[in-house]
Amino acid sequence: VYSEDNAIVRAMRNIPGVETANVSRLNLLKLAPGGNFGRFVIWTKGAFKKLSEMYGTLKSGAPLKKKYHLPRAQMENADLDRIINSTEVQSVLRPKLEAPKKFEMKRNALKNKAEMEKLNPGSTEERELRRKCREQGSAEQKAAAASKKTRVQASKEHNKKHKKGDDSFYKTLMKAFEAKAKAAEEKEAEGEDDE
């Protein structure tokens, strides 16, 4: 890397693997090909002086670049583990939070009888009564059959008294359609007779 070309380029261009670069036009692909550092770079004395003119130092700004300052490291000591585990930092930190307690798994009351008993006390007695109603010859089954018989009989009496067959809504509706259909047929018949 040179600052002034005093026949350096002509001297080096015939040597295989050697490349030259001007300090004001440095190319990262030539300095670190493939992004890998470790290429052997030879700098001239003038190139180093030009570098300090271009980029300046940490104390002074860059004369050739306006408002440019060399990047300064944010941390003087980059050993984070040592800083975090130091007594000064650990004494200020809040204590470690405990993991939240695990909640019980929600159970389905329709599948879990004990859960249903919690939500609906007396559900086991109701279930037992329904089971006894299904048993043939039990007193509960006879009582259930008698209540069903009275309920069906009361429904039939109600229907006889309040629901008259021809006067129901659907039948009156259909009668209206039938009347219109008959009137239309009569008009068609009169039209055919006239012709």
Side-chain angles (χ1 to χ4, degrees), residues 37-101:
F37 291 107
R39 190 165 193 194
F40 182 60
V41 182
I42 299 172
W43 298 78
T44 62
K45 191 175 183 181
F48 262 109
K49 286 183 181 177
K50 188 80 180 271
L51 270 180
S52 59
E53 285 177 21
M54 287 169 54
Y55 298 108
T57 59
L58 290 173
K59 293 180 181 177
S60 64
L64 297 179
K65 291 187 173 198
K66 288 183 179 178
K67 297 181 183 178
Y68 178 83
H69 297 280
L70 277 174
R72 188 183 296 269
Q74 296 292 325
M75 298 174 65
E76 289 181 13
N77 183 7
D79 191 4
L80 274 174
D81 289 337
R82 187 175 172 192
I83 293 169
I84 290 170
N85 295 325
S86 65
T87 53
E88 294 88 358
V89 173
Q90 290 296 324
S91 62
V92 177
L93 292 176
R94 288 179 292 181
K96 183 181 175 183
L97 292 173
E98 292 182 13
K101 293 178 182 177

Side-chain angles (χ1 to χ4, degrees), residues 1 13 29 52 54 77 84 96 103 108 113 135 137:
V1 178
R13 69 183 178 189
L29 294 173
S52 59
M54 287 169 54
N77 183 7
I84 290 170
K96 183 181 175 183
F103 296 102
N108 188 350
K113 294 174 185 172
E135 286 180 6

